[in-house]
Amino acid sequence: MNKPLSLCAVAVAVGIALASLTPPAAAADLAAGRNVVPLRLLPDAAAAGTQRFIVKYRAGSAPARDRSRVQASLTAAAGRSPGLQSSRRLPGLRSVRRSATGAELISASRTLDANEAQSLLQQLRQDPDVLYAQLDSRKHALDLMPDDPQLPVYQWDLLNTVGGIHGPAAWQHSTGEGVVVAVLDTGSTPHVDLRDNLVPGYDFVSWYGQSPDEPDVAGDGDGRDPDATDPGDWVDASMPWCGRSSSSSWHGTHVAGTVAAMTNNGVDVAGTAWGAKVQPVRVLGHCGGLTSDIADAIVWAAGGHVDGVPDNPTPADVINMSLGGSGSCAGDPATQEAIDLAVSRGTTVVVAAGNQGADAANYSPASCRNVITVGATGIGGRMASYTNFGTTVALSAPGGDPDTGAGISLGYVWSTANEGKTVAGGDILRGMVGTSMAAPHVAGIVALMQSAAVGAGRAALSPAQVRGLLIESVRPFPLQPGRPIGAGLADANRAVQLALGNPLPEVPVPELSSGVLVSGLGGTVAQSHVYRVEVPAGTRSLNLRTLGGRGDVSLYASLGTVPTPEDAQLRSRRPGNAEAIVVSNPRAGTWYLRLVGETAFSDVGVLAVAR
């Protein structure tokens, strides 16, 4: 079936060439004439000087026995210090408090520069009563914060924000090195912050206007060839099959940058898996691309053979498809067969859910088997206004959403792009929103997982294992979506920890307030939602229920511990969604309940009533 597929992105109204800004500035601040200083430029303790020291006196010494003697020790050390004596302003020194280990926390009346601080420490260390003396220096979270100037300013999606993927902690363990991610899209431009992370791809767009009645989808004057460069996908009046006119999107370049923009290079933006390589595979041109071309590209990217095309010398470990078309995958067997072949070769396939605000079950490849379908959230981790939803969505990731009120600069996902209106021009950065932006975050996380697992001496993860660990590693949505958009928010650090074989830190269990219905729950087979209920002393009845929606769920409950289907103290496993657990005169404390999908389910509500 040769139906055209299109991009899963919402075009941005404004594209700001952030690379030209010095220093980096947020769009909202440009108009006001203000500059935003990246977090990495904040002064550290050494640059800013210090006012605080830690001094430990030896056990049995006069200052250790009698804290009133500490001041005399400090004054004597300051008087002997050449660095302080040469200063016009001799600082006052005082003990603020004694620490848990018995050391004194010392504060100076003014900031000391490096020479003054070291001179004082030298004199303190020469005091026979002093066991040790040191700066009360700053420490930081052991996250790896690359030096890309726009990362701390614009890239909320990669950082430890409410809606971000928490990349810095993951990058301590993996950057995706050794992994190839194929981006099936419009091709790519050689952006300065991307080109060194590109490996040769292929152009699979076969329609190039050979006859008067054949649309020129390719736009590069030829059909399939080894050049995956994006020539532009603009639309004008000469393309009546396309609809309204538009400028080139440079969509593939943006998606590729989200996966693996060059990072820690002091230039522009960071990528999710910046140690990985991106293989651009061009399948979309003017007005999209053909299912037949995309199916061949899927097989080729995974290392399979396509007649008339040289075999891929660097088969992809991950395929990202930020594209889609209407119609269930059940009616698109060509795409399903190609995906199955790729997965059988060990390649994980990540796809965008789509931007129609509709059930992803009615779109392909979002509803195909063996894919990881990704919904979109905004900066606050809330369901994006445009994202498709439903039980085929595995999890969600940052897609951006200007409707959240975050403003132009922070409503979008920023990545590599091009300033050309039709053909390529200069390199810029651009904000875009859509599930197209959400999917490459997850594709990048898969690269981090695979690199971490193999680097730790473990076997490469199968596509099924990848999917399971991604779902297990999600963070809860900060606000329960009105529609099912997967198990939760993608979390790079938690996913990498699971890939390394490490246990996950506990995520706080959300509380159910008595009498307040939580609705819109959904998921796939075996996916669960966990809640807690605080039951006060004197409660006569605890009523736990599920109701409404579609599918089949079961309900489990336990006092004091999160239940599993195997160890739950109480169970309700009726056919359908009307589960009920009623406890008379329940013991006071924290009760936990787990709702588990026996089949795929959607729009289910859960209610707890304690009386």
Side-chain angles (χ1 to χ4, degrees):
M1 180 175 61
N2 285 347
K3 64 181 179 184
L5 301 188
S6 59
L7 310 178
C8 287
V10 179
V12 182
V14 291
I16 300 173
L18 300 180
S20 66
L21 302 178
T22 308
D29 291 312
L30 286 176
R34 297 189 299 270
N35 289 330
V36 177
V37 180
L39 298 180
R40 68 183 182 89
L41 297 183
L42 293 178
D44 60 20
T50 187
Q51 287 183 260
R52 297 167 74 90
F53 303 84
I54 302 172
V55 180
K56 178 69 176 290
Y57 289 96
R58 297 182 187 276
S61 67
R65 296 194 311 270
D66 182 359
R67 293 196 67 208
S68 66
R69 305 291 294 273
V70 171
Q71 188 61 52
S73 170
L74 298 175
T75 302
R80 297 192 305 268
S81 170
L84 294 182
Q85 291 299 321
S86 63
S87 172
R88 295 180 181 178
R89 295 170 53 215
L90 191 66
L93 301 173
R94 66 183 181 89
S95 177
V96 176
R97 60 180 171 82
R98 179 167 283 180
S99 73
T101 62
E104 301 288 339
L105 176 61
I106 307 302
S107 176
S109 59
R110 65 171 176 82
T111 299
L112 308 186
D113 63 29
N115 289 334
E116 291 175 322
Q118 290 303 317
S119 179
L120 175 60
L121 285 173
Q122 184 179 7
Q123 295 305 316
L124 284 167
R125 290 164 182 165
Q126 291 177 358
D127 186 338
D129 287 341
V130 172
L131 180 63
Y132 63 79
Q134 67 178 76
L135 294 176
D136 190 6
S137 57
R138 300 181 196 177
K139 291 181 172 62
H140 305 276
L142 292 177
D143 291 349
L144 176 57
M145 178 61 77
D147 64 1
D148 305 78
Q150 309 305 338
L151 174 60
V153 180
Y154 290 95
Q155 292 189 280
W156 59 269
D157 50 307
L158 299 186
L159 299 179
N160 299 336
T161 58
V162 174
I165 64 169
H166 293 202
W171 296 332
Q172 285 289 322
H173 305 281
S174 173
T175 62
E177 187 171 355
V179 177
V180 175
V181 181
V183 173
L184 275 59
D185 214 291
T186 64
S188 179
T189 60
H191 193 285
V192 66
D193 206 25
L194 180 61
R195 60 191 178 203
D196 288 354
N197 275 356
L198 298 177
V199 297
Y202 209 84
D203 180 358
F204 275 87
V205 180
S206 60
W207 269 9
Y208 61 102
Q210 289 179 289
S211 64
D213 59 347
E214 180 183 86
D216 183 9
V217 175
D220 59 357
D222 55 29
R224 294 181 172 182
D225 62 32
D227 184 5
T229 302
D230 187 348
D233 61 351
W234 77 97
V235 174
D236 62 21
S238 70
M239 305 170 192
W241 66 89
C242 283
R244 62 190 181 92
S245 298
S246 62
S247 299
S248 291
S249 67
W250 313 111
H251 188 269
T253 301
H254 194 283
V255 170
T258 299
V259 173
M262 295 158 56
T263 303
N264 213 25
N265 61 346
V267 176
D268 288 349
V269 293
T272 301
W274 35 282
K277 299 297 183 183
V278 168
Q279 183 170 68
V281 183
R282 186 168 181 252
V283 296
L284 303 175
H286 301 292
C287 310
L290 293 175
T291 294
S292 55
D293 288 342
I294 294 168
D296 278 354
I298 293 169
V299 173
W300 181 87
H305 178 71
V306 177
D307 286 346
V309 177
D311 289 346
N312 185 357
T314 54
D317 305 282
V318 190
I319 289 174
N320 184 89
M321 287 192 285
S322 291
L323 50 79
S326 60
S328 168
C329 195
D332 187 7
T335 298
Q336 183 65 71
E337 185 176 25
I339 289 169
D340 291 344
L341 284 170
V343 170
S344 72
R345 300 181 67 90
T347 301
T348 299
V349 181
V350 178
V351 304
N355 303 324
Q356 292 75 26
D359 194 330
N362 298 317
Y363 296 86
S364 178
S367 61
C368 290
R369 300 183 307 275
N370 293 325
V371 301
I372 297 170
T373 302
V374 184
T377 50
I379 188 171
R382 298 185 178 188
M383 177 179 176
S385 57
Y386 53 81
T387 186
N388 283 357
F389 52 83
T391 57
T392 63
V393 180
L395 75 169
S396 287
D401 192 355
D403 292 346
T404 61
I408 278 184
S409 61
L410 291 181
Y412 297 95
V413 172
W414 294 87
S415 186
T416 47
N418 194 277
E419 67 179 357
K421 298 299 182 184
T422 53
V423 298
D427 294 336
I428 62 170
L429 303 180
R430 176 168 289 145
M432 299 180 76
V433 301
T435 55
S436 277
M437 286 61 256
H441 285 92
V442 173
I445 291 173
V446 176
L448 296 177
M449 294 167 66
Q450 292 286 25
S451 182
V454 174
R458 299 164 65 86
L461 302 168
S462 70
Q465 288 173 319
V466 167
R467 179 187 175 88
L469 295 183
L470 279 172
I471 290 175
E472 184 180 350
S473 65
V474 297
R475 301 194 313 277
F477 295 109
L479 181 68
Q480 188 64 40
R483 301 278 192 169
I485 54 170
L489 294 171
D491 189 297
N493 180 45
R494 291 169 57 83
V496 166
Q497 291 303 316
L498 287 181
L500 290 170
N502 297 331
L504 288 178
E506 290 188 9
V507 174
V509 176
E511 181 178 0
L512 278 181
S513 298
S514 179
V516 178
L517 176 69
V518 173
S519 59
L521 302 180
T524 57
V525 177
Q527 188 174 330
S528 64
H529 297 268
V530 177
Y531 295 92
R532 62 185 171 88
V533 182
E534 299 300 332
V535 176
T539 299
R540 298 188 302 275
S541 174
L542 174 62
N543 193 326
L544 307 174
R545 293 186 179 274
T546 62
L547 58 159
R550 295 174 293 278
D552 183 12
V553 301
S554 295
L555 189 62
Y556 304 88
S558 292
L559 171 64
T561 183
V562 176
T564 68
E566 294 75 28
D567 64 13
Q569 297 166 8
L570 301 167
R571 297 175 174 82
S572 176
R573 300 191 62 183
R574 303 173 182 174
N577 294 333
E579 306 295 339
I581 295 175
V582 180
V583 186
S584 299
N585 299 313
R587 292 171 57 189
T590 302
W591 285 75
Y592 294 90
L593 62 94
R594 182 186 293 273
L595 179 156
V596 180
E598 300 294 337
T599 66
F601 61 101
S602 61
D603 294 327
V604 175
V606 61
L607 177 69
V609 179
R611 294 176 177 168

